Amino acid sequence: MSTPIKLELGGAASGSLRRMQNRMFLCLTGAAALTLLVPLFGILGYLVTRGIGAINLDFFISLPKPVGETGGGVANAIVGSLMVIVMAGAAAIPCGVLASVYICEFAPGSRFSSIIRFVCDMLNSTPSIILGIFAYGMVVLRMGHFSALAGAFALFVMMTPVVVRATEEILRTVPNSIREASVGLGGTRWQTVWHVVLPAARSGIVTGVFLALARVGGETAPLLFTAFGNQFWNLDPRQPINTLPVQIYKFATSPYADWHRQAWAAALLLVIMIAVISSTVRALTARR
Amino acid sequence: MEKKPGSPVRLFSTYARSSTRRVRLMDGIAGKGTMAAGLLIVALLVLLLNEMFRLSLPAICHFGIGFFTSSDWDPQGERFGVLPFLYGTLVSSAIALVIAIPFGIGTALFLTELAPQRLRGAVAFVVDMLAAIPSVVYGLWGVFVLAPLMQSHVGPFLEKTLGFLPLFRGPFYGGVSMLTAGLILAVMVVPFIVAIAREVLLTVPVDLKAASYALGATQWETIWKVVLPYSRVGIGGGVVLALGRALGETMAVTMVIGNQPRINASILQPGYSMAAVLANEFNEASSKLYLSVLVEVGLTLFLVTFLINIAARVLLWRMRSVHPH
């Protein structure tokens, strides 16, 4: 795709009109790219200037205060978010990696593999709020109440196809020659996968998994009527639990100025967490 | 052969010789296990469809086709129609695309054709960051920054200059409107368009561009008459994929669209979307029928995005079969 040939661009336009038109439209594409900076810096700027004031030690270690009292924090939401994401990841990562090993190594090109791939694309493009309804029907209605488990289930359904597609892409980049080498030495299929292909693809898979975690970590919609939210501490996966994105939504849609301040702070925290995860992963893989 | 610890040669010879039975067993288990993971994923989609149909069945039986032709939304009186939400979803997404397409394709062109190597990384970083910001944070920014701006400046300006069109008529309600939702959505889907358009633009053969330059075309003429026509179908697929994203986007839209179940010609007035009504009312559904109706709204949204995504895939697949690379 990327060729070493470097084209010498034609500056030979005869009419000055054509030259002007050329310059104008090329500038417009640059302007389009520059314009994208406006919303990005608009959002980041407001997050920092409005959020930083409400961040203090209390913000990290105490519970949300009831209406009318100022102060308080989002400690339970931070822990809750981590719990839900870890539960979702613990199910989605093995499931996703195994499925893509099936697609790429055990049955490449088979009919069932292309069905799995199609289903992953469909699940991937399903609106996240629909996955919330799905988890509501599967878990909440059957348990009789909201729970952290239901939230984790919704995020699991969302995360699995992302892991499958990311892993698949990496497995495709593993050269066939090393598979042949393994088979030539008498390695069976599983030995080849376990001792040769997966180690070769490890860093790429880790990247994909962390990017998927970062993506579901900011999700609100699937948690609204599954994990629901909780004003208090909860570490029991069978009970409703508070999460950072849902807490931001509650703060933001309330009519209280102090809660708005905390919404900005919590949003700043969430974006920093996501940015740290994804940029660390990117930096680590770029070095290899 | 020399056996170094950790060298693959040693690993394989020992495994194959000393525990043939175990290895064969392991192979079988692994084959079944990975297949089971694949089956589970397929089962998830089947279960999802089953669950949506099961929960929305009471509403489907109760309202029939009238659900799709009515624009009433009165939970107390148990009269429900999906039209205002369908309208809001489609219009806000259409606004988003109209804004996002030129910026997305322009940025992709800048990235692939123009930008020097160092700038490319920076622009790609900006696009990645925009894609990584969570929906609820966009919503927060929309409520406290964009909506007041729409109320005080953009709305009055549009009404003054274009107010003769029914599309741009007040009164404003605190800046929350279809246009505000469309603007936020545009920012959110631009990264998708850039990513796919960029990928498609990179597949344009250098020979074609070289031929165009050789004929004396300027760089813009090459882009307009060679590069874009060549990649039209693929970029179209990317745009449709972005449309699928915009249709299902929930939190940011819920926070800025105004949440009024009315069909309004003016995009400066509030509306409501399918995803937003789910986010707002699902937890408040007091009766079985109300809940069932909401699930049917969800099912409608699912089917619409499903169709859109199939269309996108057909376009992208057609591009690959027309220009195999």
Side-chain angles (χ1 to χ4, degrees):
Chain A
M1 290 228 267
S2 60
T3 43
I5 303 166
K6 186 96 172 70
L7 281 174
E8 285 302 320
L9 300 178
S14 50
S16 66
L17 191 72
R18 283 176 61 215
R19 214 173 299 158
M20 246 170 61
Q21 185 201 33
N22 182 41
R23 202 163 296 159
M24 190 182 85
F25 281 106
L26 293 184
C27 283
L28 276 183
T29 66
L34 263 181
T35 314
L36 296 190
L37 287 175
V38 175
L40 181 66
F41 284 109
I43 291 171
L44 294 183
Y46 272 96
L47 274 180
V48 172
T49 51
R50 296 217 180 163
I52 207 107
I55 287 190
N56 48 32
L57 186 64
D58 216 28
F59 184 75
F60 292 101
I61 60 169
S62 44
L63 293 175
K65 284 270 168 66
V67 178
E69 292 179 49
T70 54
V74 292
N76 61 348
I78 298 173
V79 173
S81 263
L82 289 178
M83 250 179 82
V84 173
I85 293 169
V86 166
M87 284 195 287
I93 295 166
C95 179
V97 171
L98 283 179
S100 57
V101 164
Y102 179 80
I103 294 175
C104 291
E105 307 294 328
F106 278 87
S110 81
R111 176 145 240 176
F112 188 50
S113 290
S114 45
I115 292 178
I116 298 174
R117 205 175 294 136
F118 175 77
V119 167
C120 282
D121 280 347
M122 285 303 120
L123 283 177
N124 219 344
S125 48
T126 301
S128 57
I129 190 126
I130 304 283
L131 302 180
I133 299 180
F134 178 35
Y136 179 85
M138 288 290 287
V139 187
V140 176
L141 281 183
R142 286 186 169 79
M143 282 178 82
H145 54 83
F146 300 108
S147 66
L149 266 179
F153 178 78
L155 294 189
F156 156 71
V157 181
M158 189 171 172
M159 195 179 160
T160 307
V162 183
V163 175
V164 172
R165 291 310 240 157
T167 311
E168 199 196 332
E169 226 165 84
I170 302 299
L171 290 183
R172 275 172 198 283
T173 63
V174 175
N176 254 335
S177 52
I178 74 164
R179 287 191 186 93
E180 285 158 8
S182 162
V183 172
L185 291 166
T188 64
R189 196 164 268 195
W190 173 248
Q191 286 176 326
T192 308
V193 169
W194 188 249
H195 295 292
V196 178
V197 178
L198 284 181
R202 191 173 53 209
S203 73
I205 294 176
V206 170
T207 311
V209 162
F210 272 93
L211 291 181
L213 281 172
R215 192 182 142 193
V216 298
E219 275 298 325
T220 315
L223 299 177
L224 283 177
F225 27 88
T226 52
F228 191 67
N230 197 330
Q231 268 189 287
F232 307 105
W233 276 110
N234 170 38
L235 297 173
D236 181 355
R238 288 164 302 175
Q239 294 301 321
I241 202 167
N242 208 8
T243 51
L244 211 43
V246 172
Q247 187 63 50
I248 295 171
Y249 178 58
K250 281 191 186 143
F251 278 152
T253 48
S254 77
Y256 315 108
D258 191 51
W259 281 15
H260 295 166
R261 218 166 47 86
Q262 297 209 29
W264 284 104
L268 176 63
L269 182 65
L270 183 64
V271 168
I272 288 177
M273 278 161 65
I274 289 173
V276 165
I277 293 177
S278 35
S279 53
T280 320
V281 164
R282 266 176 229 280
L284 282 179
T285 42
R287 210 173 297 158
R288 276 186 194 148
Chain B
M1 190 174 275
E2 195 188 14
K3 288 181 178 178
K4 276 187 227 150
S7 87
V9 176
R10 183 166 164 258
L11 266 177
F12 281 114
S13 52
T14 46
Y15 263 71
R17 230 180 286 140
S18 66
S19 52
T20 319
R21 234 239 211 94
R22 225 192 71 201
V23 167
R24 212 182 299 145
L25 189 72
M26 200 54 219
D27 232 34
I29 293 175
K32 296 266 167 20
T34 52
M35 190 174 175
L39 265 177
L40 175 67
I41 292 173
V42 177
L44 281 178
L45 186 64
V46 176
L47 277 173
L48 173 89
L49 283 171
N50 174 56
E51 204 66 23
M52 301 283 289
F53 272 113
R54 186 177 70 88
L55 291 175
S56 59
L57 203 60
I60 295 174
C61 294
H62 194 276
F63 296 103
I65 195 78
F67 184 67
F68 297 98
T69 55
S70 159
S71 56
D72 284 337
W73 188 260
D74 175 16
Q76 266 80 46
E78 299 218 316
R79 289 182 306 141
F80 299 102
V82 79
L83 269 188
F85 308 106
L86 198 60
Y87 176 81
T89 298
L90 294 179
V91 170
S92 57
S93 303
I95 297 170
L97 282 191
V98 167
I99 300 166
I101 287 173
F103 285 106
I105 297 178
T107 305
L109 282 173
F110 181 71
L111 272 173
T112 52
E113 308 284 330
L114 269 173
Q117 203 62 43
R118 210 178 311 150
L119 214 57
R120 254 172 233 201
V123 176
F125 178 76
V126 169
V127 174
D128 278 348
M129 280 300 292
L130 282 177
I133 293 176
S135 178
V136 72
V137 177
Y138 275 110
L140 181 71
W141 185 72
V143 168
F144 293 114
V145 182
L146 189 60
L149 198 72
M150 299 293 288
Q151 170 78 358
S152 61
H153 291 92
V154 182
F157 172 77
L158 283 176
E159 201 191 20
K160 211 166 77 190
T161 49
L162 295 165
F164 57 91
L165 296 168
L167 213 54
F168 299 101
R169 277 202 191 135
F172 317 121
Y173 298 86
V176 288
S177 67
M178 291 281 219
L179 182 62
T180 318
L183 268 174
I184 287 265
L185 276 177
V187 182
M188 296 178 78
V189 299
V190 152
F192 283 92
I193 299 184
V194 174
I196 293 182
R198 188 175 158 266
E199 235 169 77
V200 174
L201 289 173
L202 283 176
T203 66
V204 179
V206 178
D207 331 7
L208 281 186
K209 287 190 250 177
S212 165
Y213 292 133
L215 289 171
T218 62
Q219 199 173 1
W220 174 253
E221 284 163 348
T222 306
I223 288 172
W224 190 248
K225 292 180 180 155
V226 178
V227 174
L228 284 180
Y230 184 89
S231 38
R232 196 181 49 211
V233 179
I235 293 179
V239 166
V240 179
L241 220 54
L243 174 63
R245 284 278 150 185
L247 292 173
E249 188 44 61
T250 310
M251 299 319 295
V253 175
T254 307
M255 290 162 89
V256 298
I257 201 170
N259 300 337
Q260 299 282 326
R262 275 181 283 141
I263 295 182
N264 243 319
S266 168
I267 60 171
L268 294 178
Q269 299 216 6
Y272 218 154
S273 81
M274 292 191 277
V277 74
L278 289 173
N280 277 325
E281 300 186 13
F282 203 86
N283 278 334
E284 290 158 17
S286 40
S287 69
K288 271 242 153 69
L289 185 67
Y290 189 7
L291 189 79
S292 172
V293 163
L294 287 172
V295 179
E296 195 181 349
V297 172
L299 188 62
T300 314
L301 173 62
F302 179 80
L303 292 179
V304 171
T305 46
F306 190 81
L307 289 179
I308 292 291
N309 280 295
I310 298 273
R313 247 150 269 279
V314 168
L315 279 177
L316 289 171
W317 173 78
R318 241 186 61 195
M319 176 195 87
R320 267 173 219 134
S321 56
V322 173
H323 312 295
H325 46 267

